[in-house]
């Protein structure tokens, strides 16, 4: 009897360490990274909420005719962006005006969209749901649909202790899933952490030197962006007339400025720029080398052009490919829920 | 316990053309050339305070109320007050404070499913008036005022202070006629984004809240 009771108490002790799906999960900040901007105290992560967010992310129920999900334009295998499409297409193949952003490391982002129009991650999903070229729907009607759906009733009950979907619960669940999409295990990261047996090749190392000298003032490590808005000398596309940040602030000094995007997984997030005008990294290099238009508010760092020899461009691209995080791209936790 | 039982009833009354505004979907009548039909009125009232001798004695917690002329029950609510105190005035904001505007998803009256949130440029719409008039040279003769904006230069929140006549109930009239008279239905029938116009019209909106005689 004594032995049995000891065994039971050990079992019970071990049992308390098993995470329930409602237990709060601490968001892990990779070593050497800044603290995230997102306030997790207002939306503490739990497995049930993350899973609900993932279910929503992959569900076309969000669009008017139930054809388009978040994942339609943000594929996990291509760093959560829409590869091969310069401008992303939504419902009934309608074409938007911008290239979809890579949804990675968003816990650190102070704003969202190419022009920073969205001030909080929770509110981001409202834009594509309502946009006539994307999901062409209304968040209130999405919530109605979820409240009539048995599988969502049980998912909301598990996540929120209440089967009723509300705008707040819905948006916070999406945020939870998006917040877990962290990429921090590229070859670059492994080299920086000094992992045994991992080193840049000569070419990559030379590319890294080029990068630090010529790119890193805007694409600041380790997130590879400083979250500023810059005019990077792109000519105006007269079919779009997209003024960028100026459309948000109404201020002419922001004309043609767009968010500096992170370069993590840049190998897989083609095409490039806010309108996806460059299909390959080499075209991006050529743009900074000799393709820029001298707008009045061209970023200071770009005045005088980034002149790289052909070899230097090859080296820089070799370095940029070390920002690919294969483990991230193939992570089951981020793919279509089973 | 007794203290909590003391409440002040606050009732808003959106008045238009001599009567409480009734939102009726079935406006089918032939309009005269100068008719102005209002078929939507919503606004946020927030950060309510009760003041006596220049001191704020009551500050409502989580003080966000969405008034909607179409849902009469939203037009009145109660405030917990102290027994036996006569307050001089009430102070409230028309709109949602900037901090709340940048703090992510909220529930209750601030839930973004309430149709009072801009999707393409984050922020709450503070004040909505829509309607139809043949004097508007717009699609289907509609005028649409969605006023808001929380960023510095044209932050459109407005504070309103009104005297308190009774410590058990107060009626606040919203003079929609005055708003319609002061806005420019001909040259500016649509204001739907933050900026100079929204700021100007929000000032007008703040002047139409009045104590009922």
């Amino acid at each position: 009897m004594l032995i049995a009771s000891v065994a039971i108490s050990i079992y019970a002790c071990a049992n308390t360490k098993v995470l329930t799906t409602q237990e709060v999960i601490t968001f892990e900040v990779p070593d050497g990274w800044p603290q995230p901007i997102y306030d997790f105290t207002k939306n503490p992560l739990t497995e049930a909420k993350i899973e609900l967010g993932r279910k929503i992310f992959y569900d076309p129920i969000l669009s008017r005719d139930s054809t388009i999900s978040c994942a339609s334009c943000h594929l996990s295998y291509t760093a959560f962006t829409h590869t091969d499409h310069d401008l992303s297409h939504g419902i009934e193949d309608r074409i938007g005006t911008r290239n979809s952003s890579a949804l990675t490391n968003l816990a650190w982002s102070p704003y969202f969209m190419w022009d920073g129009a969205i001030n909080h991650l929770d509110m981001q999903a409202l834009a594509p749901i309502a946009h006539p070229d994307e999901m062409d729907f209304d968040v209130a009607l999405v919530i109605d649909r979820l409240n009539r759906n048995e599988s969502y009733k049980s998912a909301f009950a598990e996540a929120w202790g209440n089967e009723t979907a509300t705008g707040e619960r819905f948006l916070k669940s999406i945020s939870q899933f998006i917040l877990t999409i962290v990429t921090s295990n590229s070859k670059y990261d492994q080299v920086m952490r000094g992992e045994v047996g991992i080193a840049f090749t000569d070419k990559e190392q030379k590319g890294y030197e080029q990068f630090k000298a010529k790119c890193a003032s805007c694409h600041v490590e380790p997130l590879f962006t400083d979250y500023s808005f810059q005019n990077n000398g792109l000519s105006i596309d007269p079919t779009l007339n997209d003024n960028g940040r100026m459309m948000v602030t109404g201020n002419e000094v922001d004309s043609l400025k767009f968010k500096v995007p992170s370069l993590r997984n840049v190998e897989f997030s083609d095409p490039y720029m806010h309108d996806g005008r460059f299909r390959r990294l080499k075209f991006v290099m050529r743009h900074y080398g000799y393709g820029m238009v001298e707008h009045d508010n061209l970023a200071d760092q770009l005045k005088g052009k980034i002149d790289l020899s052909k070899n230097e461009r090859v080296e820089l691209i070799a370095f940029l490919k070390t920002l690919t995080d294969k483990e991230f791209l193939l992570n089951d936790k981020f793919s279509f829920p089973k | 316990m007794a203290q909590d039982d003391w409440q002040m009833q606050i009732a808003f009354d959106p008045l238009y053309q001599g009567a409480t505004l009734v939102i009726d979907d079935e406006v089918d009548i032939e309009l005269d050339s100068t008719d102005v039909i209002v078929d939507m009125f919503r606004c946020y009232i927030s950060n309510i305070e009760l003041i006596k001798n220049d001191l704020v004695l009551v500050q409502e917690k989580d003080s966000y109320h969405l008034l909607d002329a179409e849902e009469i029950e939203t037009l009145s609510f109660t405030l917990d007050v102290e027994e036996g105190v006569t307050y001089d005035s009430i102070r409230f904001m028309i709109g949602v404070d900037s901090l709340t505007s940048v703090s992510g998803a909220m529930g209750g009256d601030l839930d973004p499913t309430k149709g009072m949130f801009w999707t393409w440029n984050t922020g709450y719409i503070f004040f909505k008036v829509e309607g139809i008039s043949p004097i508007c040279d717009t699609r289907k003769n509609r005028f649409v005022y969605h006023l808001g904006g929380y960023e510095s230069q044209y932050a459109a929140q407005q504070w309103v202070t009104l005297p308190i006549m009774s410590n058990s109930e107060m009626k606040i009239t919203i003079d929609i006629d005055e708003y319609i008279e002061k806005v420019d239905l001909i040259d500016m029938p649509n204001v739907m984004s933050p900026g100079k116009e929204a700021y100007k019209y929000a000032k007008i909106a703040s002047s139409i809240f009045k104590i009922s005689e």
Side-chain angles (χ1 to χ4, degrees):
Chain A
M1 279 308 286
L2 187 64
I3 291 166
S5 89
V6 169
I8 287 165
S9 73
I10 288 169
Y11 177 73
C13 196
N15 210 19
T16 58
K17 288 189 179 159
V18 174
L19 281 179
T20 70
T21 61
Q22 278 88 18
E23 205 156 322
V24 172
I25 299 169
T26 307
F27 182 77
E28 289 195 26
V29 180
D31 283 348
W33 285 33
Q35 283 304 305
I37 300 277
Y38 193 88
D39 184 353
F40 288 90
T41 63
K42 292 206 175 109
N43 188 16
L45 301 180
T46 68
E47 194 188 317
K49 289 174 185 164
I50 294 167
E51 273 307 304
L52 172 56
R54 180 183 181 192
K55 180 178 167 71
I56 295 168
F57 187 87
Y58 280 94
D59 197 336
I61 197 170
L62 304 190
S63 58
R64 175 173 49 75
D65 63 0
S66 294
T67 57
I68 303 288
S69 72
C70 305
S72 299
C73 294
H74 301 283
L75 299 171
S76 62
Y77 307 115
T78 54
F80 288 94
T81 180
H82 204 178
T83 196
D84 276 350
H85 288 275
D86 52 352
L87 305 174
S88 298
H89 61 78
I91 202 162
E92 291 160 0
D93 286 341
R94 293 180 202 160
I95 308 282
T97 61
R98 298 214 178 129
N99 181 251
S100 68
S101 288
L103 307 186
T104 60
N105 299 340
L106 291 187
W108 286 270
S109 187
Y111 54 75
F112 305 87
M113 296 293 197
W114 279 105
D115 55 13
I118 308 291
N119 70 22
H120 196 288
L121 180 60
D122 292 353
M123 300 335 219
Q124 170 63 38
L126 293 170
I129 289 170
H131 198 291
D133 294 332
E134 296 182 51
M135 292 170 167
D136 193 26
F137 209 33
D138 176 331
V139 67
L141 300 176
V142 172
I143 299 298
D144 283 350
R145 277 188 186 171
L146 299 183
N147 279 323
R148 281 186 271 113
N149 180 308
E150 291 306 320
S151 121
Y152 276 104
K153 281 185 191 172
S154 58
F156 273 87
E158 186 178 354
W160 294 94
N162 187 318
E163 66 174 31
T164 305
T166 65
E168 182 184 16
R169 291 174 188 153
F170 166 76
L171 293 171
K172 284 186 164 172
S173 302
I174 299 175
S175 287
Q176 293 226 351
F177 173 60
I178 303 286
L179 287 162
T180 66
I181 304 173
V182 174
T183 167
S184 64
N185 199 23
S186 62
K187 181 174 182 182
Y188 160 84
D189 296 297
Q190 294 167 359
V191 171
M192 292 300 135
R193 289 195 294 259
E195 291 189 12
V196 180
I198 307 283
F200 285 141
T201 63
D202 270 3
K203 214 200 275 180
E204 290 163 354
Q205 184 63 41
K206 284 181 187 155
Y208 185 36
E209 301 308 325
Q210 293 290 350
F211 176 83
K212 283 192 285 189
K214 290 168 179 161
C215 316
S217 64
C218 290
H219 296 286
V220 176
E221 299 169 67
L223 289 153
F224 289 87
T225 170
D226 64 353
Y227 298 104
S228 65
F229 299 96
Q230 303 290 348
N231 180 328
N232 66 341
L234 296 171
S235 59
I236 300 172
D237 180 338
T239 68
L240 300 170
N241 285 320
D242 188 344
N243 259 311
R245 180 73 179 155
M246 185 179 135
M247 303 202 307
V248 175
T249 63
N251 194 336
E252 245 172 73
V253 302
D254 292 323
S255 169
L256 303 174
K257 285 188 183 177
F258 293 90
K259 170 175 70 181
V260 173
S262 173
L263 300 180
R264 286 182 170 273
N265 300 299
V266 71
E267 178 184 3
F268 287 93
S269 64
D270 59 284
Y272 306 107
M273 304 297 153
H274 66 276
D275 55 5
R277 69 176 68 185
F278 300 131
R279 284 187 296 114
R280 298 285 171 259
L281 284 172
K282 61 186 174 190
F283 302 147
V284 176
M285 304 286 147
R286 286 178 202 163
H287 168 72
Y288 287 126
Y290 47 81
M292 287 188 286
V293 178
E294 296 258 356
H295 300 296
D296 287 345
N297 62 347
L298 181 69
D300 284 341
Q301 296 94 320
L302 294 174
K303 287 179 178 148
K305 308 187 188 306
I306 301 180
D307 222 353
L308 297 172
S309 70
K310 200 175 171 209
N311 273 349
E312 287 169 336
R313 290 207 287 268
V314 171
E315 288 159 3
L316 183 53
I317 289 174
F319 167 70
L320 292 175
K321 289 183 177 177
T322 72
L323 300 177
T324 297
D325 180 349
K326 285 264 166 58
E327 180 192 89
F328 164 80
L329 296 173
L330 302 174
N331 192 333
D332 269 353
K333 283 197 297 188
F334 303 143
S335 58
F336 196 86
K338 287 168 188 89
Chain B
M1 284 305 287
Q3 232 176 358
D4 294 341
D5 291 341
W6 285 86
Q7 292 185 319
M8 181 190 284
Q9 166 102 13
I10 300 181
F12 290 85
D13 189 13
L15 281 183
Y16 189 54
Q17 295 177 342
T20 296
L21 177 67
V22 176
I23 306 291
D24 188 351
D25 285 340
E26 296 170 57
V27 181
D28 243 352
I29 50 167
E30 194 79 10
L31 295 182
D32 286 341
S33 62
T34 56
D35 278 350
V36 180
I37 304 285
V38 172
D39 60 13
M40 161 86 80
F41 173 77
R42 286 180 182 174
C43 82
Y44 275 111
I45 299 296
S46 71
N47 296 283
I48 299 175
E49 298 171 345
L50 299 182
I51 296 162
K52 184 182 175 68
N53 298 331
D54 295 330
L55 290 173
V56 175
L57 296 187
V58 173
Q59 241 177 342
E60 192 188 21
K61 273 191 188 146
D62 296 321
S63 183
Y64 300 97
H65 303 273
L66 175 55
L67 311 184
D68 183 348
E70 203 170 344
E71 295 185 42
I72 292 159
E73 70 279 7
T74 66
L75 298 178
S76 62
F77 46 86
T78 55
L79 275 188
D80 292 333
V81 297
E82 275 181 65
E83 182 182 354
V85 177
T86 312
Y87 301 94
D88 301 335
S89 56
I90 184 170
R91 185 169 181 263
F92 56 84
M93 178 185 273
I94 301 171
V96 175
D97 48 283
S98 298
L99 178 64
T100 299
S101 296
V102 298
S103 296
M106 304 278 171
D109 276 3
L110 292 172
D111 194 298
T113 57
K114 301 274 183 187
M116 292 293 277
F117 201 86
W118 276 305
T119 57
W120 45 272
N121 183 352
T122 307
Y124 287 94
I125 298 165
F126 302 155
F127 183 94
K128 250 188 191 184
V129 172
E130 296 182 18
I132 306 168
S133 174
I135 66 174
C136 297
D137 183 18
T138 53
R139 184 168 173 265
K140 297 184 180 173
N141 299 123
R142 286 197 68 81
F143 58 89
V144 177
Y145 297 105
H146 293 177
L147 311 180
Y150 63 90
E151 281 181 293
S152 52
Q153 194 183 3
Y154 296 121
Q157 300 100 339
Q158 299 291 325
W159 285 101
V160 173
T161 304
L162 296 170
I164 289 178
M165 306 301 187
S166 146
N167 58 358
S168 62
E169 59 172 352
M170 72 179 303
K171 274 195 175 166
I172 299 172
T173 299
I174 307 172
D175 188 345
I176 309 276
D177 297 273
E178 185 177 327
Y179 182 82
I180 295 295
E181 279 161 29
K182 286 187 174 171
V183 300
D184 188 344
L185 288 176
I186 295 167
D187 290 326
M188 191 63 71
N190 291 312
V191 177
M192 290 184 279
S193 53
K196 203 191 285 182
E197 279 75 28
Y199 180 76
K200 188 172 115 189
Y201 280 17
K203 288 260 179 219
I204 296 174
S206 73
S207 69
I208 68 170
F209 287 76
K210 300 167 182 178
I211 291 298
S212 304
E213 297 300 321

